Amino acid sequence: MPLTVKAYAKLNLMLDILSALPNGYHDLFMVMQSVSLCDLVTLTENDSGELTLTCDNPQIPAGEGNLAHKAATLFFEETGLPFSGLHIHIEKQIPHAAGLAGGSADAAAVLVGLFRLCGKTPELRELIRLGAKLGSDVPFCAVGGLMLAQYTGTVLSCLPPLPFGKIVIVKPDCAVSTGEAYRAFDTAERIRHFDRAGMLASVMQGDLDGVCRRIDNVFEQFIDVPERVVIKGVMRRHFAQSACMSGSGPSVFGIFETEADAEAAAAELRRSFKNVFVCDCVGRGCEIL
Ligand code: ATP
């Protein structure tokens, strides 16, 4: 029986980089939220003895180059569970190279789905350990909801959910390489850091205004996405409580109190941009259907 897993996208409500680490990674402070924009990852066991992967978006690597393929290989290597053959199919809705962790979400969905197919309930620690071997956003995507991710993104703390209204996400027609974004941080002369303690206090107090005032992304200081100003302007005109870039961009999200404001902003943005999504916050990173 095929098993389908929803792989939810993530937004960074706060993304600060504290320092570059000697191993080439970065010490991060990220408040992350899962949203209902998702890919569908279907796992079908077979007797071929092979691991195969297809994706409905030809721009995404099929086969071994796909992070979801790497996740399945890692799963069987690390757990030692018997492998007879598997096909993975991905229906892509999350734009790629967009700062929304689409690849990481697919990889996390494969890990979660394979544990289910093998009849095992993984300890959270095990899921996070495996995810961290695949990429810094994978552990968050495997757990999801609202979380603080620290160090390289792999040290996670659960945060209480916030009563957000609607979210609008716009992906402008350009791609940002995450590697280049970090290199831009490494060579930046001055960095403005954020009120991290204030953000956490606001989250813990359920102070939505306080959270929205503090939403920020350090990459906005040195990743140039010309459309960002226009997108934020439209969102603000439609009463967005906050508008910010996610990850290393270029996607921009806005938080709206009412569905009517979110839909009005989305309608205006769709006149200029192809990829505009209205979605909700969700309390998990993956969901088995
Ligand atoms: P992050 O926010 O974690 O930095 P992102 O949203 O910027 O991630 P992805 O959508 O994960 O970026 O895609 C980055 C690159 O990874 C793509 O350009 C693509 O070549 C490659 N890739 C490999 N597997 C996948 C996948 N399953 N989905 C999307 N991209 C994938």
Side-chain angles (χ1 to χ4, degrees):
M1 272 284 281
L3 179 86
T4 298
V5 187
K6 277 185 168 180
Y8 292 116
K10 63 95 207 216
L11 298 177
N12 294 99
L13 301 185
M14 181 173 273
L15 196 170
D16 204 353
I17 306 175
L18 308 187
S19 64
L21 296 167
N23 59 8
Y25 288 89
H26 291 81
D27 189 7
L28 306 171
F29 179 99
M30 302 190 288
V31 177
M32 301 170 87
Q33 172 71 62
S34 306
V35 290
S36 57
L37 172 64
C38 65
D39 293 342
L40 294 178
V41 179
T42 300
L43 307 176
T44 311
E45 288 177 299
N46 56 45
D47 299 324
S48 66
E50 288 183 9
L51 175 56
T52 51
L53 184 145
T54 51
C55 179
D56 66 354
N57 181 338
Q59 291 176 306
I60 307 289
E64 287 174 20
N66 197 295
L67 199 55
H69 192 287
K70 293 190 172 75
T73 304
L74 180 84
F75 176 87
F76 288 105
E77 276 172 10
E78 293 274 330
T79 61
L81 289 164
F83 174 74
S84 61
L86 180 74
H87 181 68
I88 303 170
H89 180 66
I90 304 175
E91 285 171 60
K92 211 67 203 156
Q93 291 176 57
I94 306 173
H96 65 283
L100 301 171
S104 303
D106 297 345
V110 166
L111 294 180
V112 168
L114 284 176
F115 273 113
R116 171 63 70 87
L117 277 181
C118 295
K120 304 255 179 233
T121 309
E123 277 187 30
L124 218 49
R125 185 187 304 219
E126 176 66 352
L127 205 51
I128 290 169
R129 187 185 72 80
L130 291 181
K133 292 190 170 221
L134 293 161
S136 57
D137 280 345
V138 182
F140 169 77
C141 290
V143 185
L146 179 61
M147 299 192 100
L148 171 65
Q150 289 173 283
Y151 190 53
T152 57
T154 51
V155 178
L156 297 175
S157 313
C158 288
L159 296 172
L162 286 165
F164 287 120
K166 285 279 172 184
I167 311 288
V168 176
I169 300 173
V170 181
K171 152 75 172 59
D173 239 351
C174 59
V176 174
S177 144
T178 305
E180 272 170 35
Y182 279 101
R183 278 191 287 284
F185 168 84
D186 292 338
T187 53
E189 281 183 7
R190 296 178 72 191
I191 308 281
R192 183 177 54 82
H193 293 284
F194 307 133
D195 177 13
R196 299 186 296 273
M199 178 58 134
L200 285 185
S202 299
V203 172
M204 297 312 286
Q205 288 158 13
D207 171 9
L208 202 57
D209 285 343
V211 169
C212 286
R213 266 201 317 277
R214 291 179 174 86
I215 284 174
D216 215 333
N217 183 336
V218 75
F219 284 119
E220 290 202 2
Q221 295 171 41
F222 41 83
I223 297 293
D224 200 21
V225 179
E227 296 91 336
R228 197 162 60 215
V229 178
V230 177
I231 296 169
K232 285 186 175 185
V234 174
M235 289 177 167
R236 292 240 158 79
R237 256 192 291 117
H238 289 281
F239 311 109
Q241 295 162 291
S242 192
C244 189
M245 192 168 82
S246 183
S248 51
S251 298
V252 176
F253 65 93
I255 298 179
F256 295 83
E257 201 172 344
T258 70
E259 186 164 1
D261 289 339
E263 290 294 351
E268 186 172 339
L269 287 160
R270 283 192 185 107
R271 285 189 226 137
S272 312
F273 300 97
K274 268 199 320 276
N275 291 303
V276 179
F277 308 91
V278 179
C279 53
D280 298 295
C281 292
V282 293
R284 55 173 82 175
C286 302
E287 186 174 356
I288 295 174
L289 295 181

PDB file of all heavy atoms in Angstrom, residues 170-186:
ATOM      1  N   VAL A 170       4.925  34.970  -1.003  1.00  0.00           N
ATOM      2  CA  VAL A 170       5.202  35.303  -2.408  1.00  0.00           C
ATOM      3  C   VAL A 170       6.625  34.869  -2.719  1.00  0.00           C
ATOM      4  O   VAL A 170       7.560  35.224  -1.994  1.00  0.00           O
ATOM      5  CB  VAL A 170       5.086  36.822  -2.661  1.00  0.00           C
ATOM      6  CG1 VAL A 170       5.348  37.129  -4.139  1.00  0.00           C
ATOM      7  CG2 VAL A 170       3.715  37.332  -2.253  1.00  0.00           C
ATOM      8  N   LYS A 171       6.763  34.123  -3.795  1.00  0.00           N
ATOM      9  CA  LYS A 171       8.114  33.741  -4.247  1.00  0.00           C
ATOM     10  C   LYS A 171       8.399  34.502  -5.537  1.00  0.00           C
ATOM     11  O   LYS A 171       7.839  34.191  -6.584  1.00  0.00           O
ATOM     12  CB  LYS A 171       8.141  32.225  -4.458  1.00  0.00           C
ATOM     13  CG  LYS A 171       9.095  31.665  -5.483  1.00  0.00           C
ATOM     14  CD  LYS A 171      10.536  31.653  -5.060  1.00  0.00           C
ATOM     15  CE  LYS A 171      11.421  30.910  -6.050  1.00  0.00           C
ATOM     16  NZ  LYS A 171      11.417  31.437  -7.408  1.00  0.00           N
ATOM     17  N   PRO A 172       9.242  35.551  -5.458  1.00  0.00           N
ATOM     18  CA  PRO A 172       9.590  36.278  -6.686  1.00  0.00           C
ATOM     19  C   PRO A 172      10.344  35.353  -7.640  1.00  0.00           C
ATOM     20  O   PRO A 172      10.876  34.332  -7.215  1.00  0.00           O
ATOM     21  CB  PRO A 172      10.506  37.402  -6.189  1.00  0.00           C
ATOM     22  CG  PRO A 172      10.405  37.420  -4.716  1.00  0.00           C
ATOM     23  CD  PRO A 172       9.925  36.083  -4.268  1.00  0.00           C
ATOM     24  N   ASP A 173      10.414  35.784  -8.911  1.00  0.00           N
ATOM     25  CA  ASP A 173      10.964  34.908  -9.952  1.00  0.00           C
ATOM     26  C   ASP A 173      12.481  34.885  -9.983  1.00  0.00           C
ATOM     27  O   ASP A 173      13.091  35.069 -11.016  1.00  0.00           O
ATOM     28  CB  ASP A 173      10.452  35.399 -11.313  1.00  0.00           C
ATOM     29  CG  ASP A 173       9.684  34.298 -12.000  1.00  0.00           C
ATOM     30  OD1 ASP A 173       9.735  33.178 -11.473  1.00  0.00           O
ATOM     31  OD2 ASP A 173       9.062  34.579 -13.045  1.00  0.00           O
ATOM     32  N   CYS A 174      13.105  34.698  -8.867  1.00  0.00           N
ATOM     33  CA  CYS A 174      14.558  34.553  -8.864  1.00  0.00           C
ATOM     34  C   CYS A 174      14.892  33.520  -7.800  1.00  0.00           C
ATOM     35  O   CYS A 174      14.077  33.240  -6.928  1.00  0.00           O
ATOM     36  CB  CYS A 174      15.254  35.876  -8.556  1.00  0.00           C
ATOM     37  SG  CYS A 174      14.815  36.594  -6.968  1.00  0.00           S
ATOM     38  N   ALA A 175      16.073  32.928  -7.896  1.00  0.00           N
ATOM     39  CA  ALA A 175      16.467  31.917  -6.908  1.00  0.00           C
ATOM     40  C   ALA A 175      17.671  32.448  -6.137  1.00  0.00           C
ATOM     41  O   ALA A 175      18.486  33.189  -6.682  1.00  0.00           O
ATOM     42  CB  ALA A 175      16.808  30.619  -7.614  1.00  0.00           C
ATOM     43  N   VAL A 176      17.757  32.103  -4.871  1.00  0.00           N
ATOM     44  CA  VAL A 176      18.920  32.495  -4.070  1.00  0.00           C
ATOM     45  C   VAL A 176      19.602  31.206  -3.617  1.00  0.00           C
ATOM     46  O   VAL A 176      18.949  30.298  -3.107  1.00  0.00           O
ATOM     47  CB  VAL A 176      18.491  33.324  -2.833  1.00  0.00           C
ATOM     48  CG1 VAL A 176      19.688  33.593  -1.931  1.00  0.00           C
ATOM     49  CG2 VAL A 176      17.842  34.638  -3.258  1.00  0.00           C
ATOM     50  N   SER A 177      20.906  31.131  -3.813  1.00  0.00           N
ATOM     51  CA  SER A 177      21.651  29.961  -3.327  1.00  0.00           C
ATOM     52  C   SER A 177      21.959  30.178  -1.843  1.00  0.00           C
ATOM     53  O   SER A 177      22.520  31.207  -1.458  1.00  0.00           O
ATOM     54  CB  SER A 177      22.927  29.795  -4.138  1.00  0.00           C
ATOM     55  OG  SER A 177      23.961  29.331  -3.314  1.00  0.00           O
ATOM     56  N   THR A 178      21.583  29.184  -1.026  1.00  0.00           N
ATOM     57  CA  THR A 178      21.799  29.318   0.418  1.00  0.00           C
ATOM     58  C   THR A 178      23.298  29.453   0.714  1.00  0.00           C
ATOM     59  O   THR A 178      23.705  30.260   1.560  1.00  0.00           O
ATOM     60  CB  THR A 178      21.207  28.087   1.153  1.00  0.00           C
ATOM     61  OG1 THR A 178      19.830  27.976   0.774  1.00  0.00           O
ATOM     62  CG2 THR A 178      21.282  28.236   2.653  1.00  0.00           C
ATOM     63  N   GLY A 179      24.120  28.710  -0.010  1.00  0.00           N
ATOM     64  CA  GLY A 179      25.572  28.783   0.189  1.00  0.00           C
ATOM     65  C   GLY A 179      26.089  30.193  -0.061  1.00  0.00           C
ATOM     66  O   GLY A 179      26.865  30.739   0.739  1.00  0.00           O
ATOM     67  N   GLU A 180      25.634  30.801  -1.150  1.00  0.00           N
ATOM     68  CA  GLU A 180      26.082  32.171  -1.457  1.00  0.00           C
ATOM     69  C   GLU A 180      25.600  33.151  -0.405  1.00  0.00           C
ATOM     70  O   GLU A 180      26.287  34.110  -0.065  1.00  0.00           O
ATOM     71  CB  GLU A 180      25.566  32.592  -2.832  1.00  0.00           C
ATOM     72  CG  GLU A 180      26.524  32.194  -3.934  1.00  0.00           C
ATOM     73  CD  GLU A 180      25.913  32.377  -5.313  1.00  0.00           C
ATOM     74  OE1 GLU A 180      25.143  33.335  -5.493  1.00  0.00           O
ATOM     75  OE2 GLU A 180      26.202  31.535  -6.192  1.00  0.00           O
ATOM     76  N   ALA A 181      24.406  32.915   0.114  1.00  0.00           N
ATOM     77  CA  ALA A 181      23.862  33.814   1.135  1.00  0.00           C
ATOM     78  C   ALA A 181      24.758  33.798   2.378  1.00  0.00           C
ATOM     79  O   ALA A 181      25.069  34.853   2.949  1.00  0.00           O
ATOM     80  CB  ALA A 181      22.443  33.382   1.498  1.00  0.00           C
ATOM     81  N   TYR A 182      25.201  32.615   2.785  1.00  0.00           N
ATOM     82  CA  TYR A 182      26.088  32.537   3.952  1.00  0.00           C
ATOM     83  C   TYR A 182      27.450  33.153   3.654  1.00  0.00           C
ATOM     84  O   TYR A 182      28.064  33.776   4.519  1.00  0.00           O
ATOM     85  CB  TYR A 182      26.219  31.089   4.446  1.00  0.00           C
ATOM     86  CG  TYR A 182      25.034  30.693   5.303  1.00  0.00           C
ATOM     87  CD1 TYR A 182      24.012  29.924   4.785  1.00  0.00           C
ATOM     88  CD2 TYR A 182      24.930  31.136   6.623  1.00  0.00           C
ATOM     89  CE1 TYR A 182      22.909  29.576   5.555  1.00  0.00           C
ATOM     90  CE2 TYR A 182      23.826  30.795   7.406  1.00  0.00           C
ATOM     91  CZ  TYR A 182      22.828  30.014   6.861  1.00  0.00           C
ATOM     92  OH  TYR A 182      21.747  29.694   7.631  1.00  0.00           O
ATOM     93  N   ARG A 183      27.916  33.006   2.423  1.00  0.00           N
ATOM     94  CA  ARG A 183      29.205  33.629   2.070  1.00  0.00           C
ATOM     95  C   ARG A 183      29.073  35.151   2.143  1.00  0.00           C
ATOM     96  O   ARG A 183      29.995  35.841   2.557  1.00  0.00           O
ATOM     97  CB  ARG A 183      29.673  33.169   0.689  1.00  0.00           C
ATOM     98  CG  ARG A 183      30.366  31.786   0.755  1.00  0.00           C
ATOM     99  CD  ARG A 183      31.074  31.441  -0.537  1.00  0.00           C
ATOM    100  NE  ARG A 183      30.154  31.091  -1.612  1.00  0.00           N
ATOM    101  CZ  ARG A 183      29.509  29.914  -1.701  1.00  0.00           C
ATOM    102  NH1 ARG A 183      29.698  28.987  -0.791  1.00  0.00           N
ATOM    103  NH2 ARG A 183      28.693  29.664  -2.708  1.00  0.00           N
ATOM    104  N   ALA A 184      27.901  35.661   1.772  1.00  0.00           N
ATOM    105  CA  ALA A 184      27.672  37.108   1.869  1.00  0.00           C
ATOM    106  C   ALA A 184      27.714  37.541   3.333  1.00  0.00           C
ATOM    107  O   ALA A 184      28.247  38.611   3.671  1.00  0.00           O
ATOM    108  CB  ALA A 184      26.325  37.471   1.245  1.00  0.00           C
ATOM    109  N   PHE A 185      27.195  36.716   4.230  1.00  0.00           N
ATOM    110  CA  PHE A 185      27.275  37.037   5.672  1.00  0.00           C
ATOM    111  C   PHE A 185      28.745  37.089   6.095  1.00  0.00           C
ATOM    112  O   PHE A 185      29.178  38.009   6.798  1.00  0.00           O
ATOM    113  CB  PHE A 185      26.538  35.980   6.504  1.00  0.00           C
ATOM    114  CG  PHE A 185      26.830  36.085   7.986  1.00  0.00           C
ATOM    115  CD1 PHE A 185      26.118  36.964   8.786  1.00  0.00           C
ATOM    116  CD2 PHE A 185      27.834  35.318   8.566  1.00  0.00           C
ATOM    117  CE1 PHE A 185      26.403  37.082  10.150  1.00  0.00           C
ATOM    118  CE2 PHE A 185      28.130  35.432   9.929  1.00  0.00           C
ATOM    119  CZ  PHE A 185      27.409  36.314  10.717  1.00  0.00           C
ATOM    120  N   ASP A 186      29.530  36.093   5.657  1.00  0.00           N
ATOM    121  CA  ASP A 186      30.931  35.992   6.086  1.00  0.00           C
ATOM    122  C   ASP A 186      31.740  37.227   5.690  1.00  0.00           C
ATOM    123  O   ASP A 186      32.698  37.579   6.366  1.00  0.00           O
ATOM    124  CB  ASP A 186      31.586  34.735   5.490  1.00  0.00           C
ATOM    125  CG  ASP A 186      30.998  33.462   6.097  1.00  0.00           C
ATOM    126  OD1 ASP A 186      30.435  33.533   7.210  1.00  0.00           O
ATOM    127  OD2 ASP A 186      31.093  32.401   5.444  1.00  0.00           O
TER     128      ASP A 186
END
